[in-house]
Amino acid sequence: MHDALFAGLQTPTPTGTPVDPNLVTPGFWGFALIVFIAIAVIVLVWDMLRRIRRGRVRADIREELLAEQQAADAVRASDVDDQDVDPADDPDRRA
């Protein structure tokens, strides 16, 4: 049934009309906009990488300071523990 409805219609074919190249090209303003976007992307990526690098350095410094603090606390705790232990009361040393 569909074939009967569309039998009289022809498929349109494109004609070879000349195209004005000035209407199809982006021109100076299109080029300027693309250059501006490219520069903005480069600046944003550079800034992002700088901030990530700064965050990593700060995290490394924070880890080093924490490790030094824990080492100092461990030395302080072992000094206090060693002062409380009497070698004469140590059951492992009696033999």
Side-chain angles (χ1 to χ4, degrees):
M1 179 159 163
H2 285 285
D3 294 334
L5 292 174
F6 297 113
L9 299 176
Q10 292 181 348
T11 305
T13 57
T15 59
T17 58
V19 177
D20 185 13
N22 291 328
L23 296 176
V24 200
T25 61
F28 172 75
W29 292 111
F31 175 75
L33 182 66
I34 295 298
V35 168
F36 175 75
I37 290 173
I39 291 172
V41 167
I42 290 170
V43 168
L44 288 173
V45 168
W46 177 72
D47 184 56
M48 178 189 65
L49 291 175
R50 185 175 55 98
R51 289 173 186 266
I52 289 172
R53 194 176 311 121
R54 186 183 307 154
R56 285 183 184 166
V57 168
R58 287 181 180 170
D60 290 344
I61 291 172
R62 210 174 298 126
E63 287 178 10
E64 289 176 11
L65 290 174
L66 182 63
E68 289 175 5
Q69 182 65 37
Q70 288 175 346
D73 291 344
V75 167
R76 214 174 303 119
S78 66
D79 288 344
V80 171
D81 291 344
D82 290 344
Q83 292 172 359
D84 293 340
V85 174
D86 186 11
D89 293 336
D90 190 5
D92 293 335
R93 292 192 154 211
R94 294 182 200 169

